[in-house]
Amino acid sequence: MNKKFMRQAIQLGIDNIHNGGGPFGAVIVKGGEVISTGVNRVTPNNDPTAHAEVCAIREACRKLGTFQLDGCEIYSSCEPCPMCLGAIYWAHISHLYYGCNQKDANNIGFSDEFIYKEIALKPEERHLKTEELLPEEAKAVFKEWTNYADKTEY
C-alpha cells in the first residue's frame, strides 16, 4: 500500500470536477510504478461506462499489451460501483484500495444500491424487462467456442 498513489487518485478526482467530469479518480500501479490513471468521463464523453476505474483499466491493458493485470494494484478515490468492481475482477487486478465508501458516495447522490438489489433478483423480477430468447440457437456460439482450437482463454 502506498498513500501517495491514493492521494494521486483523490487529486485526479478533484481536478476532474473542474474539467467537466465526475468526482472520481483511479490509479493503476505495478511494481511501484504508475501504469495508468483514469477519471470519470461519463458526462463529457456521453459514455455511461467511462468510470475512472474502467478508463484506467483500459489504458493499463493497452500500455501493457494484455487483458489481464495480474500483479497490479488499483487505487480508487471511491469504493468501485458494481460495473467497476466487475471490471477489476475480470482484469485480475491483485489488490484494490479505495478512499470513500458506498455510503459516502450515496450521500452526494451517487448510489449503486439499486444495482446491488437488482443483481440479487431473478431476471424476471428485475425492473429491466429481461427474458431469455432463442437459447438453443444461442448455444451454437458456445459450441463454436468450445471447438475452436486457436482461442485465447481468459
Side-chain angles (χ1 to χ4, degrees), residues 25-80:
V27 177
I28 295 181
V29 176
K30 186 170 188 174
E33 292 186 35
V34 173
I35 302 299
S36 68
T37 63
V39 293
N40 181 289
R41 302 305 292 166
V42 170
T43 55
N45 293 2
N46 293 317
D47 180 354
T49 70
H51 289 201
E53 298 90 343
V54 171
C55 292
I57 288 168
R58 289 174 180 160
E59 180 64 13
C61 289
R62 188 192 64 74
K63 281 186 177 177
L64 296 176
T66 182
F67 56 86
Q68 293 188 343
L69 300 175
D70 303 88
C72 290
E73 303 170 335
I74 188 166
Y75 294 80
S76 179
S77 62
C78 185
E79 184 176 0

Side-chain angles (χ1 to χ4, degrees), residues 59 77 88 92 115 121 123 144 148-149:
E59 180 64 13
S77 62
I88 289 165
H92 296 264
I115 297 173
L121 296 173
E144 184 71 22
Y148 187 64

Side-chain angles (χ1 to χ4, degrees), residues 130-148:
T130 305
E131 61 184 275
E132 192 173 33
L133 183 63
L134 300 176
E136 292 307 313
E137 290 181 41
K139 288 177 186 170
V141 178
F142 286 177
K143 183 177 179 183
E144 184 71 22
W145 172 258
T146 301
N147 295 329
Y148 187 64

Side-chain angles (χ1 to χ4, degrees), residues 97-128:
Y97 300 96
Y98 64 87
C100 298
N101 61 36
Q102 288 180 35
K103 184 178 177 186
D104 299 323
N106 186 48
N107 287 341
I108 64 162
F110 291 92
S111 178
D112 300 320
E113 187 175 340
F114 76 99
I115 297 173
Y116 286 109
K117 287 180 180 177
E118 286 286 301
I119 289 170
L121 296 173
K122 294 177 184 174
E124 62 274 9
E125 295 173 350
R126 295 179 184 153
H127 285 92
L128 174 64

